[in-house]
Amino acid sequence: MKIVILNGSPKGDMSITLQYLRYVEKKIPGHEFKVINIGQKINKIEKDGDYFQSIVDDIKSSDAVIWSFPIYFLMAPSQVKRLVELFIEKVPDGVFKDKYTTAITTSIHFYDHTAHNYIHSVSEDMGAIYVPGYSPGMHDLMEPEKCESLLEFARNFFRHIEKKMPVARVFMPIDYNMPEYKPNDVEEIEKTGDKKVLLLTDSEKSDVNINRMIDVFVKRAPYEVEVLNLNDIDIKGGCIGCIHCGNNGTCIYKDDFMDFFKEKIMKADGIIQACKIKDRYLSSNWKKYYDRSFFNGHRPVLQGKQMGFLISGPLRQIPNLRELLVGFLQVGRVNLVDIITDEYEDSNKITSLISSFADEFAYSMDKGISRPVTFLGVGGHKIFRDYIYEMKFIFREDNLYYEKHGLYDFPQKNVKSRLKNTFLMPLMKISKMREEFYKTAREKMVEPYVKIVEEA
Ligand SMILES: Cc1cc2nc3c(=O)[nH]c(=O)nc-3n(C[C@H](O)[C@H](O)[C@H](O)COP(=O)(O)O)c2cc1C
C-alpha cells in the first residue's frame, strides 16, 4: 500500500514524531511510505501552486494518509493549521474523500485530546474515513511495550484499509452561516480610569460581523481600548520548535513578535481577542501567535490579567474549541471574563451581550477577579509542573520561575498532610480505630468547615 505521511513537525526529518512512523515502516515492511515535510515547507506550499498540487495528487493516489505532528499549544502547529486551510480552500471536493486517514502525534499529553479532536474533525470534514488517532508520550518509543502498542495500532489501521472496514463518523458537520450582525445606533460611553485594555484582532475589511462587534465593544467600553491587528505586526514565521528559548527566554527569530508581546500583551491589564472561526479553530495566524509565544516557555506570564473573546462563527457547534480556549487561560492563570459570539438572529441581543461584556470586563479589572479553575487548569498545571521539574536542564528559565513563584507545589512538600499520614496510617491499621474513624468520618470531615461558617 502507498501511505502518505503528512509530517507537520516544523523540524522536518529531525521530528521525534516522524521516528514513530519510521519505526512502523521498518517493523511492518511491504508498504511504501511517502513522507512530505509539510510543516517545514509550508511557505513553499503556499506560494508554489504546482508543489501544492503535487501533494494533493500524492494524497489522491495513495491508499491512506497519516498525519504526523507534535502537539503545539493544545493543537496542531500553525503550519498544519495553514495546510488545512489551504486544503479546504483549494480542494472543495475534499482532499481526503473516501481516504483512510489517521494521526500519530507526540507530546507530553498536555491537551493532546483537543489536538486530536481538531485533526479528526477537520479530516472528516474533508471527506476522510478517519480511524481515531494515536497519541504516545514523546519518549514512548524508548519503551518496548509501548513500541508494541504502536505497531498494533498501525496493523489495525492497515487492516481497516485492506478490509475496507467502515468507520463511524464522530463529529457533526458544521453550519458556518452566521446571520449578518447589524447593530443599530450604538451610543458611545464616556471613557474613564487608567486601565490598559488591548483588543487584538486579525480581522480583514471583509470580515463584516467581527469588525462591527469590535466597533460596538470599543464604543460601549467605559475605558479606552487600544485596537491592534495581528496582520500589522512583523511575524516572520511560525515556531520551528528549536527550543533555544528554553535557556534564556529569547526567540531566535529576528522580528517584532517578542517586543510586541512584551510591550503590548504583557503590559495590558486586560486583553480582548476578536477572532473569526476558520474551519474548527481560529485562523492559522492566531495559531502562529500562540506558537510563537512559546518563548515564554511554560510560565504563566499573563497571570492575574483579565481576558475575553469576541468570536464570529459557530463556536457553539465546536465545543472542542471552547474547551481549548478555556483550558489555555486556566493553565495560564488568566481570568476569562466571557466569550461573545455572533450566533444570534437578533442583532440587538448581540449588542446587549457585548455591552454587558464590556461592563463586566471593567468590573473584573477593578476587582481583580480570579475564580477557581476546573480540571482543565488543575490538571494542566500538574502536567507542566512535573515536566519542567524533570526537564529543568533544558527549560532553565521555566525552572527559575517555578521556583520563585512557588509553582513546584508537589503534594509531598505539604508538611500538614505528611504529618497526618505519618501518625494516622499506623493507627488506621488497627481495626478498632479504623471502625471508629469511619463511624464518625462524615461529622469529622465537615467539622472544620462548619466552624468557619459559624465564625463568619
Ligand atoms: C511551541 C511548542 C509548543 C508545545 N505545546 C505542547 C502542548 O500544548 N502540549 C504538549 O503535550 N506538548 C507540547 N509541546 C511538546 C511537543 O509536542 C513535543 O516535544 C513533541 O514530541 C515534539 O515532536 P516533534 O519532534 O515531532 O516536533 C510543545 C512544544 C513546542 C516547541
Side-chain angles (χ1 to χ4, degrees):
M1 285 189 295
K2 178 182 166 187
I3 316 286
V4 165
I5 312 296
L6 295 174
N7 172 20
S9 172
K11 295 192 269 178
D13 291 339
M14 314 275 248
S15 157
I16 290 173
T17 320
L18 185 62
Q19 308 319 309
Y20 287 67
L21 276 304
R22 293 285 186 215
Y23 186 82
V24 170
E25 184 182 25
K26 213 164 168 187
K27 294 294 252 183
I28 311 178
H31 304 296
E32 181 201 340
F33 273 40
K34 165 114 199 212
V35 176
I36 310 175
N37 287 337
I38 56 109
Q40 215 171 36
K41 298 225 169 104
I42 193 64
N43 291 339
K44 183 172 160 69
I45 295 170
E46 275 200 88
K47 287 186 194 127
D48 182 343
D50 290 344
Y51 186 56
F52 175 80
Q53 191 53 45
S54 75
I55 295 174
V56 174
D57 293 344
D58 269 326
I59 292 173
K60 297 243 166 180
S61 64
S62 71
D63 294 291
V65 177
I66 305 181
W67 289 103
S68 163
F69 59 83
I71 310 296
Y72 275 12
F73 280 86
L74 313 81
M75 248 290 282
S78 66
Q79 295 87 344
V80 172
K81 176 66 176 68
R82 182 65 191 133
L83 183 65
V84 169
E85 291 175 3
L86 292 172
F87 277 156
I88 289 175
E89 192 184 307
K90 296 188 176 184
V91 193
D93 61 327
V95 70
F96 301 129
K97 193 162 179 1
D98 299 331
K99 194 73 57 194
Y100 280 90
T101 306
T102 193
I104 295 182
T105 63
T106 62
S107 69
I108 60 166
H109 293 304
F110 176 82
Y111 287 87
D112 48 346
H113 68 295
T114 43
H116 274 266
N117 285 340
Y118 172 76
I119 206 70
H120 188 151
S121 53
V122 289
S123 297
E124 285 185 347
D125 292 343
M126 291 185 276
I129 305 168
Y130 194 92
V131 176
Y134 191 77
S135 177
M138 65 187 286
H139 306 306
D140 281 10
L141 201 60
M142 319 240 180
E143 296 179 42
E145 332 77 83
K146 293 188 173 163
C147 289
E148 192 39 51
S149 143
L150 169 68
L151 294 177
E152 207 36 70
F153 168 78
R155 280 189 211 108
N156 192 36
F157 181 57
F158 297 155
R159 227 167 59 90
H160 274 76
I161 308 163
E162 277 154 5
K163 296 179 80 175
K164 296 193 173 24
M165 289 164 78
V167 182
R169 181 164 180 152
V170 172
F171 295 91
M172 285 286 284
I174 287 186
D175 175 7
Y176 286 95
N177 290 320
M178 291 295 109
E180 187 184 341
Y181 173 43
K182 292 184 196 151
N184 289 324
D185 285 343
V186 174
E187 197 190 326
E188 179 145 13
I189 282 189
E190 192 197 337
K191 314 295 179 200
T192 54
D194 57 355
K195 295 278 191 246
K196 276 191 175 175
V197 178
L198 178 70
L199 187 149
L200 189 60
T201 184
D202 70 333
S203 75
E204 293 174 16
K205 271 212 175 89
S206 55
D207 298 327
V208 174
N209 275 14
I210 196 67
N211 286 330
R212 288 177 183 164
M213 290 167 83
I214 293 171
D215 208 47
V216 170
F217 181 87
V218 172
K219 281 190 176 141
R220 298 302 295 168
Y223 36 79
E224 293 292 345
V225 180
E226 183 180 13
V227 179
L228 288 176
N229 196 307
L230 262 186
N231 296 314
D232 297 332
I233 299 157
D234 171 37
I235 307 176
K236 293 231 175 331
C239 174
I240 56 166
C242 68
I243 59 167
H244 272 79
C245 54
N247 184 47
N248 61 3
T250 306
C251 181
I252 54 146
Y253 270 108
K254 300 273 175 283
D255 60 15
D256 291 347
F257 185 77
M258 246 180 37
D259 282 348
F260 160 73
F261 198 93
K262 285 183 175 169
E263 285 306 309
K264 293 294 182 184
I265 303 288
M266 284 166 79
K267 287 189 178 162
D269 298 297
I271 303 149
I272 318 290
Q273 284 186 206
C275 329
K276 222 182 114 172
I277 288 178
K278 242 185 170 174
D279 53 77
R280 290 178 184 251
Y281 184 76
L282 313 172
S283 69
S284 54
N285 254 356
W286 272 112
K287 190 63 193 18
K288 201 189 282 179
Y289 165 87
Y290 286 129
D291 289 359
R292 284 290 305 278
S293 71
F294 191 67
F295 76 87
N296 295 303
H298 306 80
R299 307 184 287 285
V301 292
L302 304 183
Q303 174 160 4
K305 295 193 191 301
Q306 304 296 324
M307 267 194 79
F309 291 86
L310 297 174
I311 291 185
S312 172
L315 183 66
R316 270 185 232 141
Q317 297 175 61
I318 319 174
N320 190 57
L321 176 54
R322 184 179 282 271
E323 177 173 330
L324 184 160
L325 295 174
V326 172
F328 179 61
L329 296 194
Q330 287 198 359
V331 175
R333 299 168 182 233
V334 173
N335 184 51
L336 173 62
V337 180
D338 212 343
I339 304 179
I340 308 297
T341 74
D342 56 354
E343 299 164 285
Y344 300 87
E345 287 292 341
D346 178 3
S347 288
N348 290 334
K349 173 84 181 170
I350 300 175
T351 304
S352 71
L353 284 170
I354 295 175
S355 298
S356 143
F357 170 48
D359 177 81
E360 193 180 344
F361 206 83
Y363 179 82
S364 301
M365 282 190 299
D366 282 347
K367 303 277 178 205
I369 299 280
S370 100
R371 299 211 169 87
V373 296
T374 64
F375 169 76
L376 303 180
V378 177
H381 163 66
K382 286 179 198 277
I383 290 182
F384 272 2
R385 178 195 68 188
D386 293 2
Y387 180 66
I388 297 306
Y389 187 76
E390 281 175 18
M391 304 297 281
K392 50 184 148 187
F393 71 101
I394 296 179
F395 296 108
R396 198 183 72 96
E397 195 81 5
D398 282 350
N399 179 49
L400 292 173
Y401 190 99
Y402 273 53
E403 274 179 350
K404 186 169 167 202
H405 293 85
L407 297 183
Y408 283 135
D409 52 0
F410 300 108
Q412 59 271 37
K413 281 167 96 178
N414 185 332
V415 179
K416 240 183 178 178
S417 67
R418 265 174 51 199
L419 278 175
K420 261 194 236 162
N421 281 326
T422 311
F423 288 113
L424 295 181
M425 272 173 81
L427 290 180
M428 292 293 274
K429 283 189 181 143
I430 304 164
S431 62
K432 265 246 147 88
M433 295 291 290
R434 211 167 44 236
E435 260 170 44
E436 197 50 37
F437 176 85
Y438 286 115
K439 225 192 268 170
T440 55
R442 287 191 310 180
E443 289 82 351
K444 286 270 179 285
M445 266 161 68
V446 79
E447 208 171 72
Y449 304 89
V450 170
K451 195 163 169 246
I452 289 172
V453 175
E454 278 171 1
E455 288 170 5

